[in-house]
């Protein structure tokens, strides 16, 4: 079995390649990989880097939803645990967007500890982006709706890691403050 560092580096490389042509929705259009490394860094800081499966999940969390990667690809490259974690935080894209958003609020409470930690880090990164580089063309109302929704999702994952909860609270307060 490869060492943790080898697996983690491989996951970063794979995520960067899979998302190579993708940019964030914000006005600065940052490379998508910046979101993935931010999520992984948030998770690493909050947990002291103790759980490489979680960090690999952070790097790979959008590969099933947003790239041509399959569950089998992830399982073969990174093992069943990582593939299952990524699948757990992946929306069903066959459903309408509003339904997917509703399900995230409803289903997150029943997910694994790792999936919940990942959700908090993901929403923290997204809220930071809303402040630093709001999506072009989004109205104030749409931005505000997103901030409210992110907090509703995170509400059901809180209480597992104080540092991560705090990082989210800071990002959430700042987003609320900016949007009035
Ligand atoms: Zn994400």
């Amino acid at each position: 079995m490869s060492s943790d560092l080898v697996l983690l580096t491989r996951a970063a490389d794979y995520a960067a390649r899979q998302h190579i042509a993708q940019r964030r929705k914000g006005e600065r259009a940052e490379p998508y990989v910046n979101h993935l490394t931010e999520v992984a860094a948030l998770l690493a800081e909050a947990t002291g880097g103790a759980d490489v499966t979680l960090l690999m999940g952070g790097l790979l969390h959008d590969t099933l939803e947003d790239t041509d990667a399959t569950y089998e690809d992830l399982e073969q490259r990174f093992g069943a645990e990582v593939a299952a974690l990524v699948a757990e935080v992946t929306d069903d894209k066959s459903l309408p967007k509003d339904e997917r958003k509703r399900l995230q609020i409803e289903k997150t409470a029943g997910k694994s500890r790792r999936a919940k930690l990942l959700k908090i880090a993901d929403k923290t990164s997204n809220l930071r982006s809303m402040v630093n580089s709001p999506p072009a063309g989004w109205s104030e109302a749409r931005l505000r709706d997103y901030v409210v929704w992110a907090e509703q999702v995170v509400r059901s994952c809180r209480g597992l890691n104080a540092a991560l909860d705090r990082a989210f609270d800071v990002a959430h307060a700042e987003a609320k403050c900016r949007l009035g």
Side-chain angles (χ1 to χ4, degrees), residues 22-32 35 62 65-66 93 97 100-101 126 129-130 132-138 142-143 146 149:
Q22 225 183 321
R23 299 253 160 188
R24 292 287 272 166
K25 280 193 282 249
E27 56 196 12
R28 291 190 199 149
E30 298 97 333
Y32 200 82
H35 167 60
D62 283 325
E65 205 165 298
D66 295 336
K93 274 203 152 173
K97 185 146 189 161
R100 279 156 49 194
K101 290 186 82 170
N126 288 343
S129 294
M130 294 275 154
N132 296 324
S133 174
W138 278 36
R142 189 172 175 192
L143 288 167
Y146 184 89
W149 172 72

Side-chain angles (χ1 to χ4, degrees), residues 63-137:
T63 52
L64 293 181
E65 205 165 298
D66 295 336
T67 80
D68 63 2
T70 65
Y71 185 92
E72 288 70 30
D73 291 335
L74 297 183
E75 190 177 29
Q76 193 194 347
R77 288 167 188 270
F78 306 110
E81 249 184 341
V82 170
L85 174 58
V86 175
E88 230 189 325
V89 297
T90 298
D91 282 351
D92 180 351
K93 274 203 152 173
S94 68
L95 299 173
K97 185 146 189 161
D98 281 352
E99 177 69 359
R100 279 156 49 194
K101 290 186 82 170
R102 195 184 62 75
L103 282 173
Q104 277 206 36
I105 297 173
E106 211 176 277
K107 301 269 186 204
T108 306
K111 295 203 184 281
S112 70
R113 175 189 169 83
R114 282 179 178 137
K116 288 179 179 175
L117 295 176
L118 218 164
K119 276 282 173 210
I120 300 177
D122 189 28
K123 297 293 182 268
T124 302
S125 166
N126 288 343
L127 286 184
R128 287 177 178 176
S129 294
M130 294 275 154
V131 170
N132 296 324
S133 174

